[in-house]
Every structure is written in structure tokens, then in C-alpha cells.
Amino acid sequence: MAEILLAGPADRLSAAQFAALCDLVRAETGVVLGAAKQVMVETRLRRRVRARGFSTFTAYADWLMGPGRDEELPFLIDEMTTHKTDFFREPGHFDILEATVLPERVEAGAGRQRPLRVWSVACSTGPELWTLAMVTERFGDGVGGLRAEYFGTDISTVVLDAAARAIYPEAETAPVPEVYRSRWLTRARDPARREVRVAADLRRRARFAQLNLMDARYDVPGPFDVAFLRNVLIYFDRDVQRAVVGRVVANLVPGGYLFTGHAENIGGYCTALEPMRQNVYRKRGPR
């Protein structure tokens, strides 16, 4: 059995170990970890040190950077990436989606001549994708129905499994307006569980797949009419941001829309985009 890790100075990554770990995380995920994040990194790594049966960071780091790299890397990535997500996060974006983007895409033939395709690029455990689906389906009801497909990607297979299950603590769905909740969220039969699940008709229209945004090419079933790439670019440096935006935009239809987080500014990153609203961009070309 592994020893209980010490809480004092002996239980620390050395400067060289931390630098090597930061280099590995950046190379694999694009995420930049600065010196100010060392305590956070060590806190998250304690779970992995114990899980692998090591008693010190040094022993774990030596194994990670050597024979254990391929085996441990997926777990390390899951610990080092942020999975913050909420239903109807930054709700103004969903108002724009319903009032402007969806009518325009339907007028261009999406949902009629072919499926309208919606992509949550860093979907985490799924609330963003299910929010997109609920808003799109409700809009479709108002125009006589439409065919839509929803696709969620993330680097972490752990969160993708949770997204596909689509089961959430009831408290996490508090931001969902009643008009959506009553139709697309189902409470558990046992009230004591205090859980809800996204309705089966939405789950059938959604697909999930692992995607590393550092990959040179994105193997996704596009092109897409709408892509939400929100609150992930802030973890990358400018060169990685520019490359990721370019690869996402390459998977949009001409006239398709890209949404980014309110703290993210991609002005000038991609000449194929024209700004429409704050953090909302349209790919140049026929609508």
C-alpha cells in the first residue's frame, strides 16, 4: 500500500520536475501552466500519485517521464484540464443563436435540404451541447420541424462518458428555464437520487468523440453550421489559439457561425471570419 503523502516541503515537485510536467502538458494539450499553478498542479496530482501506488512526487514523476508515460498520459490530461461547464452558461449567446443564427441557417437550407449540424468543440460533461440541442429543437418546433445533428468533442474520455450518459444532479440544471426543463429533462424515478437525465429523443441525435485540439487535422463529421468554442482558448498561448481557431473554422460551412467565450478575443486570427456580435463570428461566403 502506498504511504500517505506528506503535506510539508518534502511533498513537492522540484523546479525541474514541474518544468518537465508543464512542457509535457503543453505539448499534448496546448494548455499553458505557469509557475503560479504549481500548488494547483500538485493538489491534482496527489490523486494520481496515490492511484499509482507511489509515495512521493519524485517517484511518480520519474515513472511518468519514463516507462509510464503512455499508460498514464490520458489520466494526467484529465487532471490537468479544466472541466468547468454549466447549462445556459453565458445565456446571451443562446438568445443570438435562436433569434439570428438558426433562422439564417435554415433559410440557407440547413435542416431542410440537409441536417443542420451543431458542434460543441470542448463539451466537457455535456451541459453546453444539451443546451444547444434544446434551444435548436425548440426553434425547430416553431418553423415546422427540422433535422438537426449534435456533436460533442473533448480531449478527456472521462467527461465524454459523462456527457453521453447525460445524467446530472438536479441542482446543476437549475439554470434551465422551465419551458426546456419540462420537455427535455426527466427526473429519476427515485426522488431521493435528486438526479435528472436528458430526454432520449435528444440523446439519440447526439454523438461524442475524443478530440485533441492540438491535432493537425480534426476528424469530425462536419461541416458544421454552428460551433461553440468557448472558454478553452484562454488556456492557450496566441500561436496555439490561432491554429485551433483556423482548424475549427475549416470545419464550418460558408456562412456558418463560431461562438467564443466572453473573455476570449480572436480578432485578426482568421481572415475567413467576420465579427457579427461580441464573441460571435460568421465564416465568410454565401449564406
Side-chain angles (χ1 to χ4, degrees), residues 180-201:
Y180 299 104
R181 176 189 301 275
S182 60
R183 179 170 176 184
W184 286 294
L185 297 181
T186 304
R187 286 187 173 91
R189 289 195 179 97
D190 179 1
R193 289 172 54 188
R194 306 184 72 84
E195 290 179 334
V196 300
R197 191 175 196 185
V198 174
D201 61 333

Side-chain angles (χ1 to χ4, degrees), residues 47-114:
R47 291 188 286 263
R48 297 308 310 159
V49 175
R50 291 189 179 106
R52 289 300 184 181
F54 295 105
S55 59
T56 65
F57 277 127
T58 294
Y60 173 80
D62 288 346
W63 175 77
L64 171 65
M65 298 302 174
R69 174 174 170 145
D70 290 345
E71 180 182 351
E72 180 68 2
L73 193 56
F75 301 98
L76 176 71
I77 288 172
D78 187 61
E79 292 289 356
M80 293 298 107
T81 49
T82 299
H83 305 308
K84 166 67 175 172
T85 183
D86 296 294
F87 287 89
F88 284 88
R89 186 179 185 183
E90 299 177 4
H93 277 165
F94 300 102
D95 295 337
I96 295 170
L97 178 73
E98 184 175 16
T100 302
V101 174
L102 291 175
E104 184 178 302
R105 296 313 307 150
V106 170
E107 184 180 352
R112 308 292 196 199
Q113 300 168 13
R114 60 169 179 79

Side-chain angles (χ1 to χ4, degrees), residues 5 7 16 39 56 86 91 112 115 120 149 163 165 177 187 236 239 262 275 278:
L5 289 175
V39 172
T56 65
D86 296 294
R112 308 292 196 199
S120 176
E149 298 173 350
R165 287 194 302 273
R187 286 187 173 91
F236 301 152
D239 288 342
H262 287 164
Q278 182 180 9

